[in-house]
Amino acid sequence: MTRKQKRSVVIFGALAMLGVAVALVLTALSDQVTFFRTPTELLAAPEENSGRIRLGGLVENGSVKKDDSTVEFAIEDVNDRVVVRYAGILPDLFREGQGVIAEGQLQSDGTFLADTVLAKHDENYMPKEVADRLKEQGYWQGDEMSATQ
């Protein structure tokens, strides 16, 4: 084997090992991926949303119902709403009419069982993904800075 051939074999071997390492990392991370959906997207294709997802939108006014251990509220966008059930303590800044993201799974009865609820951190913030989707639907009236701060 010539020196050039040996060098080519070493380079090819290193690239192959790098490719295998990248494939293993991507495979391991695929289980951790959480997709973001609006209520309209979630209800349009519920069979595509069988795993863990993030549901984002606005908390519907008058929809928050609390009992001893759970909270039930609706997340809405322009077209649809999804009822969310959550057992836990809501963030301090959670309130009706504000942007929120709930992480969990869609149940067979059409409700969303959340294990995490995220709320905005100040009066100027809405998650960029939520703001972008609401802007596409003509619902979000905030300025451009509030969606990216």
Side-chain angles (χ1 to χ4, degrees), residues 89-103:
I89 299 172
L90 290 170
D92 290 336
L93 297 172
F94 176 90
R95 60 182 170 261
E96 295 176 348
Q98 296 296 319
V100 66
I101 291 181
E103 296 181 5

Side-chain angles (χ1 to χ4, degrees), residues 106-111:
L106 183 64
Q107 303 298 298
S108 59
D109 65 355
T111 61

Side-chain angles (χ1 to χ4, degrees), residues 27 45-46 50 70 81 102 114-115:
T27 302
S50 59
T70 62
R81 68 189 288 270
D115 54 40

Side-chain angles (χ1 to χ4, degrees), residues 20-94:
V20 168
V22 168
L24 288 173
V25 168
L26 291 176
T27 302
L29 292 178
S30 68
D31 293 338
Q32 301 298 321
V33 173
T34 306
F35 295 103
F36 171 80
R37 301 284 188 263
T38 64
T40 300
E41 293 169 340
L42 184 69
L43 296 174
E47 65 280 350
E48 294 178 9
N49 301 308
S50 59
R52 182 172 170 79
I53 59 171
R54 296 170 67 201
L55 175 66
L58 301 175
V59 177
E60 184 179 51
N61 290 325
S63 70
V64 179
K65 298 174 188 161
K66 298 180 183 180
D67 65 19
D68 293 337
S69 61
T70 62
V71 178
E72 187 175 287
F73 58 95
I75 294 180
E76 67 177 350
D77 59 10
V78 175
N79 302 316
D80 291 303
R81 68 189 288 270
V82 173
V83 175
V84 176
R85 286 195 185 104
Y86 176 65
I89 299 172
L90 290 170
D92 290 336
L93 297 172
F94 176 90

